[in-house]
Amino acid sequence: MKKIVGMVAVASLLAACGSSDSDEEATTVTILTHDSFVLSEEQIAQFEEESGYELQTIAPGDGGVLVNQLILNKDNPVADGVYGLDTFIVGTVLEDDVLDPYTSDSLPESAKQLVVDERLTPIDQGDVCVNVDTAWFEQHGIDAPAELDDLRQPEYAELLAVIDPAASSPGFAFLAATATVYGDDWPAFWGDLLSGGARVSSGWSDAYYADFSAAGGEGPYPLVLSYSSSPAAAPGTTYMPDTCVRQVEYAGVVKGGQNSEGAQAFIDFMLSEGVQEGLPESMYMYPVDDSVALPEEWQQVASLSDTPIVVDPETIDRAAWLDTFADLP
């Protein structure tokens, strides 16, 4: 077998896919992923041994870029399968009909409630939440906010760094959460945040590592939009369970791909115990199989919220919401 190709330039892969001979197509499975996708060398070797396919991945960027690639190449697919379509972008993929029906038989019972369409298999999940620098609030003798509605108060809004929903996956997830909670009144919630002094950071890294007062940063904001998993790597921080919005990542079989059976085998493998067990360390996500134990540290400070905001993908109106957000004063 040829050496595994991990992350490769999209332009090169487009050319490679266009010139592949039938023998290579029969022995290779190509998966389109986001750029946070990680499998260990041991896991890749295990997949290849068990399935008989060489694994090749294309990682063009984040989830939004992933969707664009699927749609732009709809008539000439460059991949057999896709992984990393999350709750907040799957609607676009389903509307454009770029996936074949396939829900893995390996899907654990605990994940069946996460299925939104027969073309998507849930692989992992996480929560986007407001994180709190608990040490900062203790030092300043101020009670930390407890609920989502607390954030719109000026004394808390001025301490909060959120993320631009037009440029960031967690940023849009939080926007969708507020639209779910407040309905048509969500612009008023955001108006209170912005008029109260909340900062809108350009991306997660800027918000968490530059604006946040904890996690190794020295920023002025002790409240920041991040993930429920973040406190596992940042002692002295926690998250607000009432602000968490559940994010599920899905995999699917690309319609018109050269190796649908290989894509199905990949999806099945992503639900195997070993992969599910390794998700917290490899991709900082939670397994969809609730029989798989989280690392001890995660169990203590970074478990999933018991009361997440759950957004129905069919209710998401991305373009309209972003237009409304852009017009906020």
Side-chain angles (χ1 to χ4, degrees):
M1 283 189 176
K2 297 180 179 179
K3 186 177 180 181
I4 301 161
V5 178
M7 303 301 184
V8 285
V10 176
S12 299
L13 268 171
L14 289 174
C17 289
S19 61
S20 295
D21 58 34
S22 58
D23 288 338
E24 184 177 7
E25 289 171 353
T27 60
T28 300
V29 57
T30 302
I31 304 298
L32 186 65
T33 79
H34 55 52
D35 51 9
S36 296
F37 172 73
V38 177
L39 280 182
S40 69
E41 292 183 3
E42 292 78 11
Q43 288 172 328
I44 293 173
Q46 180 185 353
F47 168 75
E48 294 191 333
E49 181 179 355
E50 293 177 354
S51 69
Y53 298 113
E54 178 187 354
L55 179 63
Q56 179 171 266
T57 59
I58 309 173
D62 64 13
V65 177
L66 191 69
V67 171
N68 289 338
Q69 287 295 315
L70 276 176
I71 295 172
L72 288 173
N73 294 289
K74 179 178 179 179
D75 296 327
N76 185 29
V78 299
D80 307 305
V82 60
Y83 158 79
L85 303 170
D86 73 31
T87 302
F88 308 102
I89 56 177
V90 293
T92 301
V93 175
L94 296 177
E95 285 177 8
D96 277 88
D97 194 26
V98 294
L99 302 177
D100 280 331
Y102 182 70
T103 302
S104 175
D105 290 338
S106 300
L107 192 69
E109 189 65 33
S110 58
K112 291 182 178 178
Q113 62 179 343
L114 304 176
V115 175
V116 295
D117 189 274
E118 64 177 352
R119 291 167 286 181
L120 295 165
T121 296
I123 301 297
D124 56 56
Q125 58 187 328
D127 283 340
V128 173
C129 317
V130 172
N131 279 215
V132 181
D133 180 354
T134 53
W136 187 96
F137 282 95
E138 290 172 0
Q139 291 169 4
H140 289 76
I142 301 173
D143 291 333
E147 299 180 353
L148 181 66
D149 219 41
D150 292 341
L151 299 176
R152 63 197 308 175
Q153 304 305 316
E155 59 267 30
Y156 292 125
E158 65 180 3
L159 303 177
L160 173 65
V162 291
I163 307 173
D164 185 353
S168 161
S169 174
F172 185 79
F174 189 60
L175 176 65
T178 60
T180 297
V181 172
Y182 295 106
D184 292 340
D185 292 331
W186 71 261
F189 172 86
W190 280 90
D192 289 342
L193 291 190
L194 299 178
S195 64
R199 173 172 172 74
V200 180
S201 303
S202 59
W204 177 82
S205 294
D206 287 338
Y208 197 71
Y209 291 117
D211 298 327
F212 194 30
S213 57
E218 297 181 358
Y221 298 91
L223 300 170
V224 67
L225 185 64
S226 191
Y227 299 92
S228 61
S229 56
S230 299
T237 68
T238 187
Y239 68 84
M240 298 172 59
D242 191 57
T243 66
C244 293
V245 55
R246 186 61 45 87
Q247 179 185 41
V248 180
E249 288 191 313
Y250 298 89
V253 177
V254 176
K255 179 174 287 189
Q258 296 294 320
N259 189 353
S260 296
E261 290 186 1
Q264 294 175 11
F266 172 81
I267 293 171
D268 294 345
F269 183 72
M270 291 297 291
L271 290 170
S272 65
E273 183 177 357
V275 174
Q276 290 285 299
E277 205 170 60
L279 285 170
E281 292 185 358
S282 64
M283 288 185 276
Y284 246 65
M285 295 295 284
Y286 302 76
V288 293
D289 186 347
D290 65 6
S291 69
V292 174
L294 294 175
E296 184 175 347
E297 187 175 11
W298 283 50
Q299 295 179 38
Q300 294 174 356
V301 299
S303 59
L304 286 166
S305 170
D306 291 329
T307 56
I309 300 164
V310 177
V311 177
D312 181 351
E314 293 186 359
T315 68
I316 294 174
D317 192 345
R318 185 181 183 91
W321 291 353
L322 290 178
D323 285 345
T324 299
F325 181 84
D327 290 338
L328 291 174

